[in-house]
């Protein structure tokens, strides 16, 4: 069963990804959470669903 994510959850993944690819912080560091601009629950949701959100992001980009 495929999970459908909201636009907001995919946007949150993008915010997380900007911090991750910046390479400045360990992604478990509280400064990374603050730098992403996400709430802690949203940030943890992205961490737990990273691969699936990335796939949803790629699928969304293909539909543009």
């Amino acid at each position: 069963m495929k999970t459908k994510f909201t636009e907001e959850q995919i946007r949150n993944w993008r915010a997380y990804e900007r911090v991750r690819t910046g390479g400045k912080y360990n992604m478990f560091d509280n400064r990374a959470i603050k730098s992403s601009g996400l709430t802690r629950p949203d940030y943890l949701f992205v961490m737990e669903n990273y691969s699936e959100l990335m796939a949803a992001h790629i699928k969304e980009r293909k539909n543009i």
Side-chain angles (χ1 to χ4, degrees):
M1 182 172 128
K2 291 198 174 207
T3 304
K4 173 113 171 103
F5 295 105
T6 66
E7 290 296 319
E8 180 180 8
Q9 290 168 326
I10 296 171
R11 276 194 309 272
N12 290 348
W13 177 86
R14 288 187 199 115
Y16 176 94
E17 188 66 358
R18 280 190 293 275
V19 174
R20 189 189 71 77
T21 58
K24 187 173 180 180
Y25 303 109
N26 177 310
M27 296 310 287
F28 290 97
D29 190 322
N30 284 329
R31 294 174 296 176
I33 299 171
K34 185 175 181 177
S35 182
S36 73
L38 300 174
T39 65
R40 184 174 197 75
D42 286 340
Y43 188 89
L44 294 176
F45 179 85
V46 171
M47 287 185 91
E48 292 169 1
N49 296 281
Y50 180 85
S51 296
E52 294 86 356
L53 284 161
M54 181 174 59
H57 165 75
I58 291 168
K59 182 178 179 184
E60 180 183 89
R61 299 236 347 137
K62 286 182 179 180
N63 291 333
I64 291 177

Coordinates of all heavy atoms in Angstrom, one line a residue:
M1 N 0.8 -1.2 0.0 CA 0.0 0.0 0.0 C 0.9 1.2 0.0 O 1.8 1.4 0.8 CB -0.9 0.0 1.2 CG -1.8 1.1 1.3 SD -3.0 0.9 2.7 CE -2.7 2.4 3.5
K2 N 0.6 2.1 -0.9 CA 1.4 3.4 -1.0 C 0.8 4.4 -0.1 O -0.4 4.6 0.0 CB 1.5 3.9 -2.5 CG 2.3 3.0 -3.3 CD 2.7 3.7 -4.6 CE 3.6 2.8 -5.3 NZ 4.5 3.5 -6.2
T3 N 1.7 5.2 0.5 CA 1.2 6.3 1.4 C 1.1 7.6 0.5 O 2.0 7.9 -0.2 CB 2.3 6.5 2.5 OG1 2.4 5.3 3.2 CG2 1.8 7.5 3.5
K4 N 0.1 8.3 0.7 CA -0.1 9.6 0.1 C 0.2 10.6 1.1 O -0.3 10.7 2.2 CB -1.6 9.7 -0.3 CG -1.9 11.1 -0.9 CD -2.2 11.1 -2.3 CE -2.7 12.4 -2.8 NZ -1.8 13.2 -3.5
F5 N 1.1 11.5 0.7 CA 1.6 12.6 1.6 C 0.9 13.9 1.1 O 0.6 14.1 0.0 CB 3.1 12.7 1.6 CG 3.8 11.5 2.1 CD1 4.5 10.7 1.3 CD2 3.9 11.3 3.5 CE1 5.1 9.6 1.8 CE2 4.5 10.2 4.0 CZ 5.1 9.3 3.1
T6 N 0.8 14.8 2.1 CA 0.2 16.1 1.8 C 1.3 17.0 1.2 O 2.5 16.7 1.3 CB -0.3 16.8 3.1 OG1 0.8 17.1 3.9 CG2 -1.4 16.0 3.8
E7 N 0.9 18.1 0.5 CA 1.8 19.0 0.0 C 2.7 19.6 1.1 O 3.9 19.8 0.9 CB 1.1 20.2 -0.8 CG 0.4 19.7 -2.0 CD 1.4 19.3 -3.1 OE1 2.4 19.9 -3.3 OE2 1.1 18.3 -3.8
E8 N 2.1 19.8 2.2 CA 2.9 20.4 3.3 C 4.0 19.4 3.8 O 5.1 19.8 4.1 CB 2.0 20.7 4.5 CG 2.7 21.3 5.7 CD 1.8 21.6 6.9 OE1 0.6 21.3 6.9 OE2 2.3 22.2 7.8
Q9 N 3.7 18.1 3.8 CA 4.7 17.1 4.2 C 5.8 17.1 3.2 O 7.0 16.9 3.6 CB 4.0 15.8 4.4 CG 3.1 15.7 5.6 CD 2.2 14.5 5.7 OE1 1.8 14.0 4.6 NE2 2.0 14.0 6.9
I10 N 5.5 17.2 2.0 CA 6.5 17.2 0.9 C 7.4 18.5 1.0 O 8.6 18.5 0.9 CB 5.9 17.0 -0.5 CG1 5.3 15.6 -0.6 CG2 7.0 17.2 -1.6 CD1 4.5 15.3 -1.8
R11 N 6.7 19.6 1.3 CA 7.4 20.9 1.5 C 8.4 20.8 2.7 O 9.5 21.2 2.7 CB 6.5 22.1 1.7 CG 6.0 22.7 0.5 CD 5.3 24.0 0.7 NE 4.3 24.0 1.8 CZ 3.0 23.7 1.6 NH1 2.6 23.4 0.4 NH2 2.2 23.7 2.6
N12 N 7.9 20.1 3.8 CA 8.7 19.9 5.0 C 9.9 19.0 4.6 O 11.0 19.3 5.1 CB 7.9 19.2 6.1 CG 6.9 20.1 6.7 OD1 6.9 21.3 6.4 ND2 6.0 19.5 7.4
W13 N 9.7 18.0 3.7 CA 10.9 17.2 3.3 C 11.9 18.1 2.6 O 13.1 18.0 2.8 CB 10.4 16.1 2.4 CG 11.6 15.3 1.8 CD1 12.1 14.2 2.5 CD2 12.3 15.5 0.6 NE1 13.2 13.8 1.7 CE2 13.3 14.5 0.6 CE3 12.2 16.4 -0.4 CZ2 14.2 14.5 -0.5 CZ3 13.1 16.3 -1.5 CH2 14.1 15.4 -1.5
R14 N 11.4 19.0 1.8 CA 12.4 19.9 1.1 C 13.1 20.8 2.1 O 14.3 21.0 1.9 CB 11.6 20.8 0.1 CG 11.1 20.1 -1.1 CD 10.5 21.0 -2.1 NE 9.6 20.3 -3.0 CZ 8.3 20.4 -3.1 NH1 7.7 21.3 -2.4 NH2 7.6 19.7 -4.0
A15 N 12.5 21.3 3.1 CA 13.2 22.1 4.1 C 14.2 21.3 4.8 O 15.3 21.7 5.1 CB 12.2 22.7 5.1
Y16 N 13.9 20.0 5.2 CA 14.8 19.1 5.8 C 16.0 18.8 4.9 O 17.1 18.9 5.3 CB 14.1 17.8 6.1 CG 14.9 16.7 6.7 CD1 15.1 16.6 8.1 CD2 15.6 15.8 5.9 CE1 15.9 15.5 8.6 CE2 16.4 14.8 6.4 CZ 16.5 14.7 7.7 OH 17.3 13.7 8.3
E17 N 15.7 18.6 3.6 CA 16.7 18.3 2.6 C 17.7 19.4 2.4 O 18.9 19.2 2.2 CB 16.0 17.9 1.3 CG 17.0 17.3 0.3 CD 17.6 16.0 0.6 OE1 17.4 15.4 1.7 OE2 18.3 15.5 -0.2
R18 N 17.2 20.7 2.4 CA 18.1 21.8 2.3 C 19.1 21.8 3.4 O 20.3 22.1 3.2 CB 17.3 23.1 2.3 CG 16.7 23.5 1.0 CD 16.1 24.9 0.9 NE 15.0 25.1 1.8 CZ 13.7 24.8 1.5 NH1 13.4 24.3 0.3 NH2 12.8 24.9 2.4
V19 N 18.7 21.5 4.6 CA 19.6 21.5 5.8 C 20.6 20.3 5.6 O 21.8 20.4 5.8 CB 18.9 21.4 7.1 CG1 19.8 21.2 8.3 CG2 18.0 22.6 7.3
R20 N 20.0 19.1 5.2 CA 20.9 17.9 5.1 C 22.0 18.1 4.1 O 23.1 17.8 4.3 CB 20.0 16.7 4.7 CG 20.7 15.4 4.8 CD 19.9 14.3 4.2 NE 19.8 14.4 2.7 CZ 20.8 14.1 1.9 NH1 21.9 13.6 2.3 NH2 20.5 14.2 0.6
T21 N 21.6 18.7 2.9 CA 22.6 18.8 1.8 C 23.6 20.0 2.1 O 24.6 20.0 1.5 CB 21.9 19.0 0.4 OG1 21.1 20.2 0.5 CG2 21.1 17.8 0.0
G22 N 23.2 20.9 3.0 CA 24.1 21.9 3.4 C 25.3 21.4 4.2 O 26.4 22.0 4.2
G23 N 25.1 20.2 4.8 CA 26.2 19.5 5.5 C 26.8 20.2 6.7 O 27.8 19.8 7.2
K24 N 26.1 21.2 7.2 CA 26.6 22.0 8.4 C 26.3 21.2 9.7 O 27.1 21.4 10.7 CB 25.9 23.3 8.4 CG 26.5 24.3 9.4 CD 26.0 25.7 9.3 CE 26.5 26.6 10.4 NZ 26.0 27.9 10.2
Y25 N 25.2 20.5 9.8 CA 24.8 19.9 11.0 C 24.6 18.4 10.9 O 24.3 17.9 9.8 CB 23.5 20.4 11.5 CG 23.5 21.9 11.7 CD1 22.7 22.7 10.8 CD2 24.1 22.5 12.7 CE1 22.7 24.1 11.0 CE2 24.1 23.9 12.9 CZ 23.4 24.7 12.0 OH 23.4 26.0 12.2
N26 N 24.8 17.7 12.0 CA 24.4 16.3 12.1 C 22.9 16.4 12.2 O 22.3 17.3 12.9 CB 24.9 15.7 13.4 CG 24.4 14.3 13.7 OD1 23.2 14.0 13.6 ND2 25.3 13.4 14.0
M27 N 22.1 15.6 11.5 CA 20.7 15.8 11.4 C 19.9 15.5 12.7 O 18.8 15.7 12.8 CB 20.1 15.0 10.2 CG 20.6 15.5 8.8 SD 20.5 17.3 8.6 CE 18.7 17.5 8.3
F28 N 20.6 14.9 13.6 CA 20.0 14.7 14.9 C 20.3 15.8 15.9 O 19.8 15.9 17.0 CB 20.6 13.4 15.6 CG 20.1 12.1 14.8 CD1 20.9 11.5 13.9 CD2 18.9 11.6 15.1 CE1 20.5 10.4 13.2 CE2 18.4 10.5 14.4 CZ 19.2 9.9 13.5
D29 N 21.0 16.8 15.4 CA 21.4 18.0 16.2 C 20.2 18.9 16.3 O 19.5 19.2 15.3 CB 22.6 18.7 15.6 CG 23.2 19.8 16.4 OD1 22.4 20.5 17.1 OD2 24.4 19.9 16.4
N30 N 19.9 19.5 17.5 CA 18.8 20.4 17.6 C 18.9 21.6 16.8 O 17.9 22.2 16.3 CB 18.6 20.8 19.1 CG 17.9 19.7 19.9 OD1 17.1 19.0 19.4 ND2 18.3 19.7 21.2
R31 N 20.2 22.0 16.4 CA 20.4 23.2 15.6 C 19.9 22.9 14.2 O 19.5 23.8 13.5 CB 21.9 23.6 15.6 CG 22.4 24.1 16.9 CD 23.8 24.3 16.9 NE 24.5 23.0 16.7 CZ 25.9 22.9 16.6 NH1 26.6 24.0 16.6 NH2 26.4 21.7 16.5
A32 N 20.0 21.6 13.7 CA 19.5 21.3 12.4 C 17.9 21.5 12.4 O 17.4 22.0 11.4 CB 19.8 19.8 12.1
I33 N 17.3 21.1 13.4 CA 15.8 21.3 13.5 C 15.5 22.7 13.4 O 14.6 23.1 12.6 CB 15.2 20.6 14.8 CG1 15.5 19.1 14.9 CG2 13.8 21.0 15.0 CD1 15.2 18.5 16.2
K34 N 16.2 23.5 14.2 CA 15.9 25.0 14.2 C 16.2 25.6 12.8 O 15.5 26.4 12.3 CB 16.8 25.7 15.3 CG 16.5 27.1 15.4 CD 17.3 27.7 16.5 CE 17.0 29.2 16.6 NZ 17.6 29.8 17.8
S35 N 17.3 25.1 12.2 CA 17.7 25.7 10.9 C 16.7 25.3 9.8 O 16.5 26.1 8.9 CB 19.1 25.1 10.5 OG 19.5 25.6 9.3
S36 N 16.0 24.2 10.0 CA 15.0 23.7 9.0 C 13.7 24.6 9.0 O 13.0 24.7 8.1 CB 14.6 22.3 9.2 OG 13.8 22.1 10.3
G37 N 13.5 25.2 10.2 CA 12.2 26.0 10.4 C 11.0 25.1 10.7 O 9.9 25.6 10.7
L38 N 11.3 23.8 10.8 CA 10.1 22.9 11.1 C 9.9 22.7 12.6 O 10.8 22.9 13.4 CB 10.5 21.5 10.5 CG 10.7 21.4 9.0 CD1 11.1 20.0 8.6 CD2 9.4 21.9 8.2
T39 N 8.7 22.3 12.9 CA 8.5 21.9 14.3 C 9.2 20.6 14.6 O 9.4 19.8 13.6 CB 7.0 21.8 14.6 OG1 6.5 20.7 13.9 CG2 6.2 23.0 14.3
R40 N 9.4 20.3 15.8 CA 10.1 19.0 16.2 C 9.3 17.8 15.6 O 9.8 16.9 15.0 CB 10.4 18.9 17.7 CG 11.1 17.7 18.1 CD 11.5 17.7 19.6 NE 12.5 16.8 19.9 CZ 13.8 16.9 19.6 NH1 14.2 18.0 19.0 NH2 14.7 16.0 19.9
P41 N 7.9 17.8 15.9 CA 7.1 16.7 15.3 C 7.2 16.5 13.8 O 7.3 15.4 13.3 CB 5.7 16.9 15.8 CG 5.9 17.8 17.0 CD 7.1 18.6 16.7
D42 N 7.2 17.7 13.1 CA 7.2 17.6 11.7 C 8.6 17.1 11.2 O 8.7 16.4 10.3 CB 7.0 19.0 11.0 CG 5.5 19.4 11.1 OD1 4.6 18.5 11.3 OD2 5.2 20.6 11.0
Y43 N 9.7 17.6 11.9 CA 11.0 17.2 11.6 C 11.2 15.7 11.8 O 11.7 15.0 10.9 CB 12.0 18.0 12.5 CG 13.4 17.8 12.1 CD1 14.1 18.7 11.2 CD2 14.2 16.9 12.8 CE1 15.4 18.5 10.9 CE2 15.6 16.7 12.5 CZ 16.1 17.6 11.6 OH 17.5 17.4 11.3
L44 N 10.7 15.2 12.9 CA 10.8 13.8 13.2 C 10.0 12.9 12.2 O 10.4 11.8 11.8 CB 10.4 13.5 14.6 CG 11.4 14.1 15.7 CD1 10.8 13.8 17.1 CD2 12.8 13.5 15.5
F45 N 8.9 13.5 11.8 CA 8.1 12.8 10.8 C 8.9 12.6 9.5 O 8.8 11.6 8.8 CB 6.7 13.5 10.5 CG 5.9 12.9 9.4 CD1 5.0 11.9 9.8 CD2 6.0 13.3 8.1 CE1 4.2 11.2 8.8 CE2 5.2 12.7 7.1 CZ 4.3 11.6 7.5
V46 N 9.5 13.7 9.1 CA 10.3 13.6 7.8 C 11.5 12.6 8.0 O 11.7 11.8 7.1 CB 10.9 15.0 7.5 CG1 11.9 14.9 6.4 CG2 9.8 16.0 7.1
M47 N 12.1 12.6 9.2 CA 13.2 11.6 9.4 C 12.7 10.2 9.3 O 13.3 9.4 8.7 CB 13.8 11.9 10.8 CG 14.7 13.1 10.8 SD 15.6 13.2 12.4 CE 17.1 12.4 12.0
E48 N 11.5 10.0 9.9 CA 11.0 8.6 9.9 C 10.4 8.2 8.5 O 10.4 7.0 8.2 CB 9.8 8.5 10.9 CG 10.3 8.6 12.3 CD 9.2 8.8 13.3 OE1 8.0 8.8 13.0 OE2 9.5 9.0 14.5
N49 N 10.1 9.1 7.7 CA 9.5 8.8 6.4 C 10.3 9.3 5.2 O 9.8 9.6 4.1 CB 8.1 9.4 6.3 CG 7.2 8.8 7.3 OD1 6.7 7.7 7.1 ND2 7.0 9.5 8.5
Y50 N 11.6 9.5 5.4 CA 12.5 10.2 4.5 C 12.4 9.6 3.1 O 12.1 10.3 2.1 CB 13.9 10.1 5.0 CG 14.9 10.8 4.0 CD1 15.1 12.2 4.1 CD2 15.5 10.1 3.0 CE1 15.9 12.9 3.2 CE2 16.4 10.8 2.1 CZ 16.5 12.1 2.2 OH 17.4 12.8 1.3
S51 N 12.6 8.3 2.9 CA 12.6 7.7 1.6 C 11.3 7.8 0.9 O 11.3 8.1 -0.3 CB 13.0 6.2 1.7 OG 14.3 6.1 2.2
E52 N 10.2 7.6 1.6 CA 8.9 7.7 1.0 C 8.6 9.1 0.5 O 8.0 9.3 -0.5 CB 7.8 7.1 1.9 CG 7.9 5.6 2.2 CD 8.9 5.3 3.4 OE1 9.5 6.3 3.9 OE2 9.0 4.1 3.7
L53 N 9.0 10.1 1.4 CA 8.8 11.5 1.0 C 9.6 11.9 -0.2 O 9.2 12.6 -1.0 CB 9.1 12.4 2.2 CG 8.0 12.4 3.3 CD1 8.5 12.9 4.6 CD2 6.8 13.2 2.9
M54 N 10.8 11.4 -0.2 CA 11.7 11.6 -1.4 C 11.1 11.1 -2.6 O 11.0 11.8 -3.7 CB 13.1 11.0 -1.2 CG 14.0 11.3 -2.3 SD 15.7 10.8 -2.1 CE 15.5 9.0 -1.8
A55 N 10.5 9.9 -2.6 CA 9.9 9.3 -3.8 C 8.7 10.1 -4.2 O 8.4 10.4 -5.4 CB 9.5 7.9 -3.5
A56 N 7.9 10.6 -3.2 CA 6.7 11.5 -3.5 C 7.2 12.8 -4.1 O 6.5 13.3 -5.1 CB 5.9 11.7 -2.2
H57 N 8.3 13.3 -3.7 CA 8.8 14.6 -4.2 C 9.2 14.3 -5.7 O 8.9 15.1 -6.5 CB 10.0 15.0 -3.4 CG 10.9 16.0 -4.1 ND1 10.5 17.4 -4.2 CD2 12.1 15.9 -4.7 CE1 11.4 18.0 -4.8 NE2 12.4 17.2 -5.1
I58 N 9.9 13.2 -5.9 CA 10.4 12.9 -7.3 C 9.1 12.7 -8.2 O 9.1 13.3 -9.3 CB 11.3 11.7 -7.3 CG1 12.6 12.0 -6.6 CG2 11.5 11.2 -8.7 CD1 13.5 10.8 -6.3
K59 N 8.2 12.0 -7.7 CA 6.9 11.8 -8.5 C 6.2 13.1 -8.8 O 5.8 13.3 -9.9 CB 6.0 10.9 -7.8 CG 4.7 10.5 -8.5 CD 3.9 9.6 -7.8 CE 2.6 9.3 -8.6 NZ 1.7 8.4 -7.8
E60 N 6.2 14.0 -7.8 CA 5.5 15.3 -8.0 C 6.3 16.1 -9.0 O 5.7 16.8 -9.9 CB 5.5 16.1 -6.7 CG 4.9 17.4 -6.7 CD 5.0 18.1 -5.4 OE1 6.0 18.8 -5.1 OE2 4.0 17.9 -4.6
R61 N 7.6 16.1 -9.0 CA 8.4 16.8 -10.0 C 8.2 16.3 -11.4 O 8.2 17.1 -12.4 CB 9.9 16.8 -9.6 CG 10.2 17.4 -8.3 CD 11.2 18.4 -8.2 NE 12.0 18.7 -9.3 CZ 12.3 19.9 -9.7 NH1 11.7 21.0 -9.1 NH2 13.1 20.1 -10.6
K62 N 8.0 15.0 -11.6 CA 7.8 14.5 -12.9 C 6.4 14.9 -13.5 O 6.2 14.9 -14.7 CB 7.8 12.9 -12.8 CG 9.2 12.4 -12.7 CD 9.3 10.9 -12.7 CE 10.7 10.4 -12.5 NZ 10.7 8.9 -12.5
N63 N 5.5 15.2 -12.6 CA 4.1 15.6 -13.0 C 4.1 17.1 -13.3 O 3.0 17.6 -13.7 CB 3.1 15.3 -11.9 CG 2.9 13.8 -11.8 OD1 3.1 13.0 -12.8 ND2 2.5 13.3 -10.7
I64 N 5.1 17.8 -13.1 CA 5.1 19.3 -13.4 C 5.2 19.6 -14.8 O 5.7 18.9 -15.6 CB 6.3 20.0 -12.6 CG1 6.0 19.9 -11.1 CG2 6.4 21.4 -13.1 CD1 7.2 20.5 -10.3

